Structures are given as C-alpha cells and as structure tokens.
Amino acid sequence: MPPKTPSHATDRLDDDDYPAYTMGRAAEMIGATPGFLRAIGEARLITPLRSEGGHRRYSRYQLRIAARARELVDGGTPVEAACRIVILEDQLEEALRLNEELRGHSG
C-alpha cells in the first residue's frame, strides 16, 4: 500500500488556498515586483500567510487576485482604487454564485 504523504502533498498542490508560493516566485508568476505585492498587501487586497521563518507565502487564489490588480494598475488605475475594484468584483462574483446556487435549490 503506498504511503499517504504523496497524496497529501498532491492534495495541497490542488488547493487554491494553499500558500505554496514565495514572494519572489509569486511576483514572477504575475509579472510584477515584490514591491507591488507588498503594496497590495498594505492596501489589504490580499494577506499572505507567513512561513515559520516569517516569509510571505501566497496561494493560487491570491495570485489570481493580485494579477487582476496588476492589470488595472498597468492600465493606469491607482493601486488603492485597483484594490477596491478587485474586492468589489470578487464580492459580485460570490454573490452571483450564491444566487445561482439558491435558484437551483428553489425549483
């Protein structure tokens, strides 16, 4: 019987919320700088988890959010405004998903 550890590790890799990426790797993946990630963290768009050594770690979900903010900033939107737009877009998406879920259960 195979050990459980590899499947557990695979489960974490499939988890959108698992903080798998260092700041440097996260910045590279979204085409931004570590300073940009710090700025959107200060604006409270994303809050990276911290490793035992205190280093920031980012999840795939957080990278998608950061990438959307970077698109807006690249288009000329100030960082604070971009963060607020992304938060509102995320809230709208969740509300629409919940609404659809409720409609599915009512009929």
Side-chain angles (χ1 to χ4, degrees), residues 20-71:
Y21 304 100
T22 62
M23 177 180 271
R25 181 70 179 124
E28 180 183 305
M29 288 173 71
I30 66 166
T33 64
F36 176 78
L37 290 174
R38 280 191 290 275
I40 63 174
E42 289 169 12
R44 298 178 189 258
L45 176 61
I46 58 175
T47 303
L49 287 144
R50 297 283 181 151
S51 69
E52 287 181 21
H55 300 283
R56 292 173 178 89
R57 305 288 292 194
Y58 297 88
S59 69
R60 288 191 312 212
Y61 172 75
Q62 288 174 322
L63 293 184
R64 282 196 301 274
I65 295 291
R68 176 64 182 132
R70 188 193 55 80
E71 287 173 11

Side-chain angles (χ1 to χ4, degrees), residues 86-104:
V86 173
I87 289 168
L88 291 170
E89 287 175 344
D90 200 47
Q91 288 173 343
L92 175 60
E93 185 178 309
E94 179 66 6
L96 292 171
R97 186 191 65 74
L98 287 171
N99 191 22
E100 192 60 35
E101 193 176 287
L102 290 171
R103 286 176 190 236

Side-chain angles (χ1 to χ4, degrees), residues 14-27:
D14 291 336
D15 182 355
D16 262 5
D17 294 319
Y18 181 71
Y21 304 100
T22 62
M23 177 180 271
R25 181 70 179 124

